[in-house]
Amino acid sequence: MFTFKEWEKTAAIQAYTTRDGGVSTGVYSSMNMGFSRGDAVAAVITNYKIVADAIGVELESFVASNQTHTKNIRFVKKSDCGNGVTKPNRFTDVDGIYTNEKGVTLVTYYADCVPLFFYAPTVTAIGMAHAGWRGTVLEIGKSMAVAFNERFGVPFSEIEVGIGPSICKNCFEVHNDVSDIFMEKEIFKEFVTANAESGKFNIDLWACNKKSLESVGVSKIYVAGECTCCPNNADKFFSHRRDGAERGLAAGLMAIR
Ligand SMILES: [Zn+2]
């Protein structure tokens, strides 16, 4: 699993799963955390059990998002435990979840999209936001920071953010239908690069998310710098762009120790 070294000795349990260590087979091999991909449910549950043991949480503590590329954020509680993992998913259009309750393990899903990990040590609050290119344009990270500020009264300067493994600028090549949307936002313009050879555009989603967070005063931002899509990481991470729809899902996870 990938973890942020900066948070190793803190109250924040955090991880981004790699493909290693699970029981799923074939295109899901081996640590598929997604129930929606066509993999055997029993195998996915076993994978959750393995991960739960590895990070020191209970299987029943998981609370999953219900991601549809929105910027909707939901505060979750102990009474939500099991949602989307050991119980049916009762959420609709929830791309960010956060809590300050112990015994809740946040689960969000990825295969190239940007995982944003939030930790505010002074109020012991955690959050996770799914920022694909749409969530990035919608500035879901900023929405989470604002939610932390409003609910917990924590200043933006005391909110720390980790930008997890996800598609790098070189791999994220798009046509102008997508790049135009980024170019419409002043703060993102500088992170769009035209590729004269291909006639396409590269966008740095890590930089866009960082810039958006900095715009409200979040300054402690850690970038994993690991690409899920680069060919040399094919055995390590699931990637939608590289492998298409026939693949598993990674999970971004957080809990309070
Ligand atoms: Zn890459």
Side-chain angles (χ1 to χ4, degrees), residues 166-172 206 226-233:
S166 41
I167 194 164
C168 77
K169 180 181 181 173
N170 284 341
C171 291
F172 192 53
W206 304 340
E226 290 224 44
C227 177
T228 48
C229 185
C230 278
N232 58 328
N233 278 340

